[in-house]
Amino acid sequence: MDIIIIGLLLGGTYSLIAMGLNLQYGVARIMNLANGEMLVAGGFTAFWFYTAGNISPLLTIFIVAPLAFAINWLIYRIMLEPLVRRAKNRGQLEVDSILATFGMSFIAVGLMLAFFGGDYFNYSFLAVPVTLMGETYAQNRVVAFLAAVVICAILYAWITFSRPGLSLRALSVSPESARLVGINVRQRAAIAFALGGAITAVGGALISSFLTLDASAGVAFTLKALIIVIMGGVGDVRGTIIAALLLGVVETLVASLIDPGLTLAAAYALFILVLLFRPQGLFGRKPT
Amino acid sequence: MSLTGKEIQGVILAAIALLVVGALPYYGSDYLLSLGITIAMFTVLATSWALFSGPTHYISLATAAFFGLGTYTTGLGFESLPFWSLVLMAGALGAVLAALVGLATLRLSGVYFVIFTLGLAELIRQLITWGQNMTGQKGLYVLTDFTEGNLYMMLVALASAVFLVGWLIGRSRLGFALRIIGDDETVAAHSGINTAQAKVLLFMVSGAVAAMTGAILAPRYVYIEPALAFTPLLSFQVVIMALLGGVHRLWGPIVGVIPFTLILETISANFPNQVTLFIGIVFLIIVYFIPRGFAGLIEQARSWSQSESMA
C-alpha cells in the first residue's frame, strides 16, 4: 500500500513534466527532446537558490516559471519557427525538430557541465517524516505532489474553460482550421511551447527537492515524459495525468519489489504494451 | 546484371580505394592504424545506419544497442566458439532484435520509433546489469591474439560488404520501395507496397551490421562491461556522422565520418569536457545550414561548375 502511495506521489510530479511536453508536442507540434534538460535546469536553479540563499523551492518556482517561459519563447521564435516555416509536411518538421532539439539538448548538457561540473547535486529540503493513513512518508515528496496537483488543476481549468485555452485546443486539433477561425497560429504556438517549457522547469524545481540530479540526467526524464505523453494520448490532459500516475506506480513497484536499477525497463514494459494495443493513447480514438 | 560504363568506372575506383585503405596495416604507424580502426568502425556503422534511415527518414538511435549486443556475443562466446561464427551469430541476433523493435514500432509513425530506439541501449544495459547482479558476475575479459591490424582488416572487409549490399539494395525492388516510402508513405501503401515489411527488413540489415561491428571490436576493448558496451553516445555519433556526410548517397556517410572523427579526436584529447557541446553545435549546423550534408554540398558545387562551363 505505501508503495502505491509513493508511486502516486512520484507520478504527480511526472504528470507536470509530461504536461509540459504535451503542450510542446501536442499544440506547438515540436517534438522537444531537450525537454529533460529544461527540467534539470529548473532543478539546478532551485538547488542554487536553496544552497546560496536558503530560499524554498516553492518560492523559487515563481522565478523559474517566468524565466523558463521567456527562454522557451525565444527558443521557439529564433530556432524553431524557421523549421516550421520551411517544413513541407508534418513528417519533415518532426525529423527537423528532433534533430534540432537533440542539438540543443547536447549544448545544454555541455553548458551545464561547464558551469556546474559533472557532480550529482541534491539538498535536503523538508526531509522530515509525515504520517498519512498510518504510514510515514518524506514531507518533501508530499509537498511536491501537492504543488504539482495545484499547478495541474490550474492548467487544466485554464485550457478547458478560458478563451486562450480554447484556442490552444483548437490548435492541437488542426492548425490549418485554427487559422481559418482567426487564431494567430504562430503566436499561440510560441506561447504553448513557452508555457510547456515553463511547466517542465517548475516540475524540475519540485523534483530536485527529493531526487538527486546531475547535468546529464535530462534524457531519462525526456524519455519518461515521452512515454507518458504517448500513453496518455497526444494533446490529452486527462490521459497524461493518468498515464503519469500509472508510470509512477509501476516504476515504484518494480524498484521496490525487483530492483531499483530496472526503472527504465518498467517504463518500457508499459510503453510496449501501449504500442502493441493502444498506440492512439489510453483514451484516444482510433484514427480514421 | 549488366553494368554501364560509368558503373564499371566506379567499380575500378572502389577497388583501388579498397587496396589503398586495406593495406594500411602494412605501411601505417600504430597511431594511424588505431585512427583507421575508429574511422572504419564509424564508416560501417554510419553507412549501414544510412541504408535504413536515408531513404525512410526514420531516425534510429539504436546503434549502441546493436553494437553492445555484438560485443557481448563475443565476450560470452569467444572461449568456446570460433571467432567468425560469433560474428555471424551477432549479426543474426542483431537482426532478430531489429525485427522485434521494428515489428513493435515501424507499423506506427516515425516518432514512436525514435523514442523507442532512444532508450533501447539503456534498457538492455539495465537488464544485463541486473542479470549480472543476480549471478554475481561483473565485467567480461576478452583476451584473444588478434592484433589491431587483424581487427582493422575485418572491419574493412565488413565495410566493403556493406557498400556492396547497399549498392545492391539501391538497385533492387526493396530499395525502390523504400525511396517511395520516404517520399510519401501513403502513396507507397496505395501502390501496393507492404510498407511495414520493407522497413523492418532494411532495419534488420542495419541492426545486423551494427551488431557484427560490435562483435569484431570486442577484442579491442579487452574488458567489457554494460556501461562501456552500451554507451548511448555511440548512437548519436553515428547519426551525426551520417547526416553530416549526407544520407541520400551511399558514399555520403564516409565523407562525414572522416572529418568528424578527426575533429572529435582532437577535441577529446585537448578539451575532454567540451565534447557534448561540440556534438550539439554540429547537430544544429546540420539542421540549419547543411540539411543534405557534405554530399549535398559536393553535388551542388559540381552542378554549379558544370553549368558554368556550359555557359
Side-chain angles (χ1 to χ4, degrees):
Chain A
M1 188 60 208
D2 57 329
I3 296 174
I4 291 177
I5 291 183
I6 292 178
L8 288 175
L9 293 179
L10 183 64
T13 358
Y14 280 173
S15 69
L16 207 54
I17 306 160
M19 202 100 108
L21 185 70
N22 211 341
L23 276 173
Q24 296 185 324
Y25 182 54
V27 180
R29 302 285 152 113
I30 301 289
M31 178 43 92
N32 181 12
L33 296 172
N35 188 57
E37 275 65 43
M38 193 42 72
L39 177 145
V40 174
F44 261 129
T45 318
F47 167 75
W48 190 71
F49 272 96
Y50 190 77
T51 46
N54 214 10
I55 298 169
S56 149
L58 292 175
L59 291 175
T60 316
I61 59 174
F62 292 100
I63 305 163
V64 167
L67 205 63
F69 188 92
I71 293 172
N72 278 278
W73 191 82
L74 287 175
I75 289 177
Y76 185 84
R77 274 280 143 119
I78 297 169
M79 309 286 293
L80 298 169
E81 233 180 63
L83 297 181
V84 176
R85 244 180 276 139
R86 116 181 155 190
K88 287 187 222 78
N89 52 46
R90 195 166 172 191
Q92 201 198 341
L93 176 61
E94 243 154 33
V95 172
D96 276 350
S97 62
I98 284 171
L99 294 176
T101 51
F102 266 142
M104 292 174 206
S105 110
F106 273 103
I107 289 176
V109 171
L111 289 177
M112 287 193 282
L113 278 175
F115 286 117
F116 301 100
D119 297 338
Y120 288 95
F121 67 96
N122 65 346
Y123 52 97
S124 107
F125 167 70
L126 289 183
V128 286
V130 52
T131 310
L132 283 177
M133 293 186 289
E135 303 274 357
T136 47
Y137 305 98
Q139 197 178 348
N140 47 26
R141 282 180 189 253
V142 179
V143 169
F145 175 78
L146 292 176
V149 168
V150 170
I151 297 169
C152 276
I154 295 173
L155 192 69
Y156 182 73
W158 184 73
I159 288 179
T160 319
F161 301 114
S162 78
R163 261 195 92 78
L166 180 71
S167 64
L168 290 193
R169 276 187 292 145
L171 202 56
S172 89
V173 174
S174 162
E176 290 81 21
S177 324
R179 227 179 65 203
L180 293 179
V181 293
I183 292 170
N184 186 341
V185 171
R186 230 168 249 169
Q187 182 214 4
R188 290 291 166 195
I191 287 177
F193 187 85
L195 190 63
I199 291 169
T200 305
V202 167
L206 291 177
I207 270 196
S208 74
S209 71
F210 62 91
L211 284 186
T212 306
L213 298 173
D214 70 298
S216 44
V219 62
F221 287 102
T222 308
L223 201 59
K224 282 176 194 167
L226 288 168
I227 292 177
I228 292 169
V229 168
I230 287 174
M231 199 162 38
V234 177
D236 182 345
V237 175
R238 183 189 50 162
T240 303
I241 293 172
I242 291 175
L245 294 177
L246 194 64
L247 182 69
V249 171
V250 170
E251 218 183 88
T252 317
L253 278 175
V254 169
S256 44
L257 297 181
I258 307 175
D259 190 300
L262 286 177
T263 48
L264 191 73
Y268 256 72
L270 275 181
F271 189 30
I272 291 172
L273 288 178
V274 168
L275 285 179
L276 292 180
F277 299 109
R278 291 203 70 83
Q280 69 276 32
L282 288 177
F283 302 101
R285 264 163 293 167
K286 269 208 163 44
T288 44
Chain B
M1 191 167 80
S2 60
L3 301 175
T4 62
K6 211 179 157 201
E7 279 172 327
I8 293 175
Q9 199 187 339
V11 170
I12 295 173
L13 276 178
I16 295 172
L18 183 63
L19 212 65
V20 174
V21 171
L24 180 71
Y26 300 104
Y27 61 79
S29 66
D30 282 354
Y31 172 72
L32 216 59
L33 186 60
S34 145
L35 199 64
I37 291 187
T38 313
I39 289 180
M41 160 183 147
F42 280 115
T43 302
V44 176
L45 293 175
T47 309
S48 67
W49 183 88
L51 280 185
F52 171 72
S53 298
T56 57
H57 309 300
Y58 278 64
I59 299 165
S60 159
L61 293 166
T63 313
F66 297 124
F67 186 87
L69 191 69
T71 10
Y72 262 80
T73 312
T74 303
L76 291 171
F78 80 101
E79 280 171 327
S80 42
L81 289 167
F83 191 69
W84 60 267
S85 70
L86 290 171
V87 176
L88 290 183
M89 203 196 295
L93 288 172
V96 171
L97 179 64
L100 291 176
V101 174
L103 288 175
T105 56
L106 286 175
R107 302 171 296 130
L108 308 162
S109 89
V111 181
Y112 297 88
F113 178 73
V114 180
I115 299 168
F116 198 90
T117 57
L118 170 63
L120 191 64
E122 180 64 17
L123 171 73
I124 300 181
R125 190 190 67 75
Q126 282 196 353
L127 290 175
I128 291 187
T129 311
W130 179 63
Q132 286 186 339
N133 288 345
M134 283 305 191
T135 53
Q137 197 189 7
K138 288 273 169 276
L140 296 166
Y141 283 97
V142 186
L143 302 168
T144 58
D145 0 315
F146 289 121
T147 61
E148 293 248 290
N150 297 142
L151 300 178
Y152 175 77
M153 292 299 240
M154 285 190 253
L155 284 178
V156 171
L158 185 60
S160 327
V162 170
F163 278 107
L164 187 66
V165 168
W167 183 66
L168 288 175
I169 289 178
R171 294 167 61 100
S172 71
R173 287 176 67 90
L174 179 63
F176 188 48
L178 279 159
R179 283 195 294 276
I180 302 178
I181 294 174
D183 251 9
D184 191 326
E185 196 152 347
T186 326
V187 169
H190 278 283
S191 47
I193 295 169
N194 186 340
T195 55
Q197 192 195 347
K199 285 184 283 184
V200 173
L201 273 178
L202 211 64
F203 188 48
M204 284 167 70
V205 173
S206 168
V209 172
M212 287 163 84
T213 315
I216 292 176
L217 279 172
R220 195 192 194 198
Y221 294 122
V222 182
Y223 179 74
I224 51 176
E225 53 169 2
L228 186 88
F230 292 94
T231 165
L233 193 62
L234 181 75
S235 307
F236 288 98
Q237 286 175 324
V238 168
V239 173
I240 208 164
M241 288 184 201
L243 290 173
L244 186 66
V247 291
H248 58 290
R249 289 278 176 268
L250 188 57
W251 50 270
I254 200 169
V255 200
V257 167
I258 295 172
F260 190 85
T261 312
L262 295 177
I263 297 175
L264 198 65
E265 288 273 311
T266 319
I267 290 187
S268 49
N270 298 316
F271 316 96
N273 294 323
Q274 311 307 330
V275 171
T276 8
L277 195 61
F278 170 70
I279 291 181
I281 291 170
V282 178
F283 254 119
L284 292 188
I285 292 176
I286 292 173
V287 177
Y288 290 97
F289 301 110
I290 38 174
R292 285 167 69 78
F294 287 153
L297 290 183
I298 293 171
E299 284 169 347
Q300 227 171 12
R302 205 186 276 165
S303 73
W304 182 75
S305 71
Q306 263 167 11
S307 65
E308 279 286 283
S309 61
M310 297 271 262

